[in-house]
Amino acid sequence: MGGKKGGVLELAVLGLLHESPMHGYELRKRLNTLLGMFRAFSYGTLYPCLKQLLAQGLITEDEDEQPPATLQSKRAKIVYKLTAEGKEHLQKLLTEAGPAAWEDEGFGVHFAFFGQTRADVRLRILEGRRSRLEERLEQVRTAFTRTRERVDSYTLELQNHGLESVEREVRWLNELIGREHAKAADERQRADETDVPDVNDKDAPRQGTSPS
């Protein structure tokens, strides 16, 4: 599926269907909640995406069984489900931590599925996003300094709002990255404690002796 937007939508669809099978209407609502937070979502792009995922064998569609009383009033709804190939492809997408996962178009969707993402990949995406925003922050500050004497008060307020928004997200990312590092350190400590031989273990080699 070509293009950044197509890749973001593909990840979002596969990630949501991994949680549970869904009707097209339910999937549209969930996508609007997920993608609408980060960019405008066009429903006209969903069904071509589903068609392509079906053709690739990443999802299947089944008719939802309706109660007998509804058969005459409504046609059966199509339920989309993830295939084994789809689950494998989703895991591959969730390991991608390059620039496409840092930018505005993809970061929010990748972040939404961090619960299914490896810790090292999460950290690379967060650090990449922070690096990108720090670059943007420097650009915004430079532009702000150059133009503040030549713009009216409303434009100045708008620029200041943009600057504060980027600064706020950088602080948020710093907190997340700090928690990720702390969590990783805690897991390493627990692993080290697990590897320490139990002095009460009769089968553990004694100091000064070699195992028989």
Side-chain angles (χ1 to χ4, degrees), residues 137-151 155-163:
L137 195 58
E138 185 62 30
Q139 294 170 356
V140 173
R141 283 172 174 163
T142 301
F144 187 71
T145 302
R146 290 176 179 174
T147 61
R148 65 182 306 163
E149 300 298 333
R150 303 194 302 271
V151 299
T155 303
L156 196 62
E157 283 296 331
L158 185 62
Q159 291 178 343
N160 190 53
H161 173 69
L163 182 63

Side-chain angles (χ1 to χ4, degrees), residues 41-95:
F41 168 59
S42 170
Y43 288 137
T45 62
L46 173 57
Y47 290 101
C49 174
L50 291 173
K51 184 177 180 181
Q52 188 163 350
L53 294 176
L54 285 165
Q56 294 173 337
L58 302 180
I59 63 174
T60 61
E61 55 180 9
D62 296 322
E63 289 189 353
D64 191 13
E65 294 184 1
Q66 299 287 332
T70 65
L71 291 179
Q72 294 180 354
S73 58
K74 294 182 180 180
R75 63 180 181 178
K77 292 182 179 180
I78 298 299
V79 177
Y80 297 95
K81 299 179 180 179
L82 209 58
T83 63
E85 292 80 5
K87 293 178 182 178
E88 183 177 343
H89 186 63
L90 172 61
Q91 293 307 311
K92 179 181 177 182
L93 294 177
L94 290 175
T95 62

Side-chain angles (χ1 to χ4, degrees), residues 192-201 204-205:
D192 291 342
E193 291 173 352
T194 302
D195 292 339
V196 174
D198 187 350
V199 294
N200 296 319
D201 188 350

Side-chain angles (χ1 to χ4, degrees), residues 146-194:
R146 290 176 179 174
T147 61
R148 65 182 306 163
E149 300 298 333
R150 303 194 302 271
V151 299
D152 59 49
S153 60
Y154 297 104
T155 303
L156 196 62
E157 283 296 331
L158 185 62
Q159 291 178 343
N160 190 53
H161 173 69
L163 182 63
E164 291 176 351
S165 297
V166 179
E167 289 174 337
R168 185 163 51 249
E169 185 171 351
V170 170
R171 290 195 298 270
W172 174 67
L173 288 167
N174 284 334
E175 292 174 1
L176 289 173
I177 290 169
R179 289 202 292 266
E180 288 289 329
H181 280 300
K183 183 178 179 180
D186 184 57
E187 290 176 350
R188 286 195 299 269
Q189 182 178 355
R190 287 204 300 266
D192 291 342
E193 291 173 352
T194 302

Side-chain angles (χ1 to χ4, degrees), residues 75-147:
R75 63 180 181 178
K77 292 182 179 180
I78 298 299
V79 177
Y80 297 95
K81 299 179 180 179
L82 209 58
T83 63
E85 292 80 5
K87 293 178 182 178
E88 183 177 343
H89 186 63
L90 172 61
Q91 293 307 311
K92 179 181 177 182
L93 294 177
L94 290 175
T95 62
E96 295 177 356
W102 311 340
E103 302 293 350
D104 297 342
E105 193 69 32
F107 174 71
V109 175
H110 276 273
F111 188 83
F113 298 111
F114 263 17
Q116 305 177 37
T117 305
R118 291 200 324 260
D120 62 314
V121 177
R122 291 198 305 265
L123 193 55
R124 288 203 303 271
I125 292 175
L126 290 172
E127 291 177 338
R129 175 66 175 174
R130 180 177 63 180
S131 177
R132 180 69 78 243
L133 286 181
E134 286 174 341
E135 293 174 5
R136 186 181 301 173
L137 195 58
E138 185 62 30
Q139 294 170 356
V140 173
R141 283 172 174 163
T142 301
F144 187 71
T145 302
R146 290 176 179 174
T147 61

